[in-house]
Amino acid sequence: MAPPFPLPAPMRRALDLAAQAQAAGEVPIGAVVTKDGAIIGEGQNRNRRDNDPTAHAEIVAMRAAATHLNDFRLTGCDLWVTLEPCPMCAGAISHARIARLYYAVGDPKGGAIEQGPRLFGQPQCLHRPDVYGGLAEVEASTLLRAFFAARR
Amino acid sequence: MAPPFPLPAPMRRALDLAAQAQAAGEVPIGAVVTKDGAIIGEGQNRNRRDNDPTAHAEIVAMRAAATHLNDFRLTGCDLWVTLEPCPMCAGAISHARIARLYYAVGDPKGGAIEQGPRLFGQPQCLHRPDVYGGLAEVEASTLLRAFFAARR
């Protein structure tokens, strides 16, 4: 169920970035980092283009935001991403001290927030963002389904 | 207990890289990626130097190896690291299709392999490397203990 408010601009931008990734032959996932409401880092999946096993949208966006801030921590920043983060990205979100995590749709196969290892619920986890999932389930899952259907 | 064989050269190199990180004011952790016995990627913790929340030794080494191979997967490659990987790095190891993971010492506070979320044991995990831990417990933990004692 879509939430009862217009889709926030950062999530609309993350969906645009996901569509750009798809057009480039990558898994269609996009992400942005905001601080005080302004976008300070953007990312889309770039694994194949960059020959980089770590280049998920979230990692790319957080690295860009950290470069922008000249700080290896993104304290007080928010991350908006079109799919529930995997363990790699969830770990990076915690290391970066992201304040709030917004994602468009859950990922039963690879998500690490509301399923699987539920990393932010692990006693070892040193920093947990506030989490808001399911913001744009139809838009994000339509993109992903079309992508994987085309590859079959 | 140290294993009953001389420390393999890639782990000796990872320990050297950890010492270099310490000299640069970073947490002393080093990593190398090998393929067919040759080092094809090196890394040390660079979070502070690079303003990068993701710049753990393992991530840096795997990105370098992937650039070297022009491939976003490190199929058939091994990763040698001085500390048990965290959830972020364990997730990246799985994405990269690392064949064998060797680490010097376990990390009760942040490790994700033999404790905490035990990511490679999660049913969601699509690729699990063979894992060899505890290869150089004294050398690696001496570096880490000296670093954290000096910061107190």
Side-chain angles (χ1 to χ4, degrees):
Chain A
M1 277 268 286
F5 50 78
L7 200 54
M11 188 60 87
R12 286 203 308 273
R13 179 62 185 154
L15 287 162
D16 288 345
L17 292 162
Q20 288 179 22
Q22 178 172 33
E26 304 271 359
V27 181
I29 302 173
V32 304
V33 175
T34 56
K35 187 174 173 93
D36 304 327
I39 292 177
I40 60 164
E42 295 190 338
Q44 49 183 280
N45 267 32
R46 310 190 56 87
N47 294 116
R48 287 164 177 81
R49 284 174 280 184
D50 290 359
N51 292 319
D52 184 347
T54 74
H56 281 188
E58 301 95 311
I59 300 284
V60 175
M62 287 191 284
R63 296 182 79 219
T67 296
H68 175 82
L69 294 178
N70 270 319
D71 193 336
F72 75 108
R73 289 195 175 140
L74 301 175
T75 310
C77 295
D78 300 337
L79 179 70
W80 305 73
V81 57
T82 59
L83 188 67
E84 180 185 356
C86 74
M88 174 180 74
C89 293
I93 286 165
S94 184
H95 290 316
R97 308 288 194 267
I98 289 287
R100 281 168 291 268
L101 165 65
Y102 301 90
Y103 58 86
V105 65
D107 180 8
K109 283 193 185 163
I113 311 300
E114 58 179 306
Q115 45 220 328
R118 293 180 169 75
L119 278 181
F120 300 144
Q122 293 281 339
Q124 280 182 327
C125 183
L126 292 177
H127 171 84
R128 300 168 173 79
D130 295 332
V131 175
Y132 305 87
L135 262 63
E137 294 183 338
V138 174
E139 297 87 335
S141 57
T142 301
L143 268 170
L144 285 160
R145 244 184 265 120
F147 177 79
F148 286 109
R151 286 163 64 94
R152 251 176 234 128
Chain B
M1 276 267 288
F5 50 78
L7 200 54
M11 189 60 88
R12 286 203 308 275
R13 179 62 185 154
L15 287 163
D16 288 345
L17 291 163
Q20 289 179 21
Q22 177 170 36
E26 304 271 359
V27 181
I29 302 172
V32 304
V33 174
T34 57
K35 188 175 173 91
D36 304 327
I39 291 177
I40 61 164
E42 295 191 337
Q44 48 182 281
N45 267 32
R46 309 191 57 88
N47 294 117
R48 288 164 178 79
R49 284 175 281 183
D50 289 359
N51 292 319
D52 185 348
T54 73
H56 281 188
E58 300 94 312
I59 300 284
V60 176
M62 286 190 284
R63 296 181 80 219
T67 296
H68 175 83
L69 294 178
N70 272 320
D71 194 337
F72 76 106
R73 289 195 176 141
L74 302 174
T75 309
C77 296
D78 300 337
L79 179 70
W80 306 73
V81 56
T82 59
L83 188 67
E84 181 185 354
C86 74
M88 173 180 75
C89 293
I93 287 164
S94 183
H95 289 315
R97 308 291 193 265
I98 289 287
R100 282 168 290 269
L101 165 65
Y102 301 90
Y103 58 85
V105 64
D107 180 9
K109 284 193 186 165
I113 311 301
E114 59 179 305
Q115 45 220 324
R118 290 178 171 77
L119 278 181
F120 300 144
Q122 293 281 340
Q124 280 183 326
C125 183
L126 292 178
H127 172 85
R128 304 168 169 77
D130 295 331
V131 175
Y132 306 87
L135 261 63
E137 294 183 338
V138 174
E139 296 87 334
S141 57
T142 300
L143 269 170
L144 284 161
R145 244 185 265 120
F147 177 80
F148 286 109
R151 285 164 62 96
R152 253 174 233 130

